[in-house]
Amino acid sequence: MTESIQDDPQPGAQPFFKTRGVVITPQDLTLGNWPERAKRAGLTTIALHPFPKRLIEFVESNDGQEFLDTCRELGLRVEYELHAMAELLPRHLFDKDPSLFRMTDEGERSPDANVCVHSAAALETVAANAARVGNLLRPTTGRYYFWGDDGKPWCRCPKCRELSDSDQALLLENAVVEALEAFDERAQLAHLAYVNTLAPPATVKPGPRVFLEFAPIRRRFDKPLDAPGVDENEKLLDLLDANLAVFPAETAQALEYWLDCSLFSQWTEPHVKLPWSQQVLEADLGVYGSRGIRHITTFAVYLDEHYLKTYGEPPIDSYGQALAAYQPG
């Protein structure tokens, strides 16, 4: 398929990784000059996170417009990586039509997470709301991210239970990307391989505009992904390779956690200092690059004003420079 990513904004540079990004929240912008820091580090992309309504409010604010204007002036791309399902299928619809929602293992409909992908009305509702949100939060790259509920199970109704969670997610994504394509001819949509969707889809085939986003949150971070004898990482690497047998490597993206202070702080205050390892980062880039993956990003949540005052400069430059310098061996 045609690549929708723009040419690298670094003049004269030809880095291997087309996307060199970070995923942050609007609150992290208190770090000060996030776009300028990203540009200085050789990054290409800032993605905002986590929820559609919150980000719509931000981008429509004066601060949000200033952020977008600055990114535009610096040649930085902007994307939106979203925990979206609760807004794409509003939970209040359960009282009107429980069949829109997933069935539990006990055989009861529940609005607790995700959707029933064999409900035509559910697919239509999610796709229509995704198009509405996408029109308001339109990435400059054409790459959209509407994730299922965070690590939560999918449907176990008689029709859905034959499909894995990964297959159900992909079935929905195939429907959503058609709605996005109707207003954005460049539209692509991420299939998030994460926790319960790490196993590759086995029954549903991805449409040509659906790309893999691999997020190994349960890895060991003190060891490279390909470190021998590290069971957690070896299993994840096997799952990455299995997914790359289903999705094309050239559009695939690794969503990592090297800069994710929120993860290492267990999403609570006070922040901890990042356990940064340049050696692990560079080894991991070799793992991804050797497989033909050319889009790399990392969560960088909690790298904010508080982090700067407490621990000093976060290693944004070190991260970006390693990505820009990488070339396959």
Side-chain angles (χ1 to χ4, degrees):
M1 63 174 293
T2 301
E3 177 62 80
S4 66
I5 291 288
Q6 305 158 0
D7 290 339
D8 196 299
Q10 299 288 87
Q14 294 295 329
F16 176 80
F17 293 119
K18 295 180 178 181
T19 295
R20 305 183 298 281
V22 288
V23 181
I24 62 175
T25 71
Q27 290 75 18
D28 299 318
L29 295 174
T30 61
L31 177 65
N33 302 319
W34 242 117
E36 289 84 356
R37 291 168 185 269
K39 179 70 173 182
R40 183 184 67 206
L43 301 183
T44 64
T45 308
I46 297 178
L48 295 179
H49 179 71
F51 303 114
K53 184 175 185 295
R54 187 180 302 175
L55 293 186
I56 291 169
E57 292 172 352
F58 172 70
V59 301
E60 291 179 346
S61 70
N62 290 335
D63 287 345
Q65 288 298 305
E66 182 179 352
F67 166 77
L68 294 176
D69 289 343
T70 301
C71 288
R72 189 179 305 113
E73 292 167 3
L74 292 173
L76 288 167
R77 308 161 190 156
V78 177
E79 297 179 338
Y80 304 91
E81 302 220 16
L82 303 171
H83 290 300
M85 198 56 63
E87 295 183 43
L88 301 185
L89 186 67
R91 302 308 192 225
H92 68 80
L93 296 177
F94 184 78
D95 291 338
K96 180 180 179 181
D97 187 359
S99 70
L100 300 171
F101 295 84
R102 80 179 195 96
M103 183 175 285
T104 67
D105 290 324
E106 292 73 32
E108 296 182 356
R109 295 286 178 179
S110 173
D112 64 346
N114 294 314
V115 307
C116 176
V117 298
H118 280 89
S119 165
L123 295 184
E124 291 171 4
T125 300
V126 170
N129 281 326
R132 175 185 59 81
V133 172
N135 261 307
L136 296 170
L137 298 176
R138 188 178 297 201
T140 62
T141 61
R143 286 163 72 93
Y144 293 79
Y145 306 82
F146 292 110
W147 300 335
D149 285 311
D150 195 349
K152 299 294 180 64
W154 289 70
C155 187
R156 304 293 182 259
C157 78
K159 291 183 177 179
C160 288
R161 70 176 52 148
E162 300 303 318
L163 297 177
S164 70
D165 286 356
S166 299
D167 281 303
Q168 291 184 48
L170 182 54
L171 193 156
L172 181 63
E173 291 150 5
N174 283 341
V176 168
V177 76
E178 289 187 9
L180 300 176
E181 186 183 357
F183 69 85
D184 186 348
E185 65 181 9
R186 302 179 306 155
Q188 302 176 50
L189 180 64
H191 169 79
L192 183 67
Y194 167 85
V195 186
N196 57 316
T197 57
L198 272 167
T203 302
V204 180
K205 302 299 181 185
R209 291 177 174 268
V210 177
F211 65 92
L212 174 68
E213 185 173 39
F214 177 73
I217 192 171
R218 293 179 176 171
R219 60 169 292 177
R220 282 269 301 272
F221 291 98
D222 60 336
K223 301 289 184 181
L225 269 175
D226 62 350
V230 181
D231 290 346
E232 304 98 310
N233 291 5
E234 287 180 351
K235 291 175 183 176
L236 286 165
L237 202 52
D238 288 343
L239 287 166
L240 172 60
D241 289 335
N243 273 287
L244 290 174
V246 177
F247 297 90
E250 60 267 21
T251 58
Q253 177 157 296
L255 172 59
E256 270 286 358
Y257 301 84
W258 302 300
L259 293 178
D260 190 11
C261 184
S262 70
L263 170 64
F264 297 110
S265 303
Q266 292 299 294
W267 303 280
T268 60
E269 304 285 357
H271 304 356
V272 302
K273 188 174 183 180
L274 277 173
W276 175 253
S277 172
Q278 188 79 14
Q279 180 182 5
V280 169
L281 169 68
E282 292 178 0
D284 287 344
L285 295 182
V287 169
Y288 291 124
S290 67
R291 286 163 169 77
I293 294 174
R294 306 194 69 177
H295 302 275
I296 303 287
T297 194
T298 178
F299 282 107
V301 179
Y302 284 9
L303 297 189
D304 55 11
E305 181 182 37
H306 173 78
Y307 189 95
L308 183 65
K309 289 180 177 178
T310 306
Y311 302 113
E313 285 288 341
I316 299 168
D317 283 345
S318 297
Y319 164 72
Q321 291 163 9
L323 266 69
Y326 173 82
Q327 291 294 331

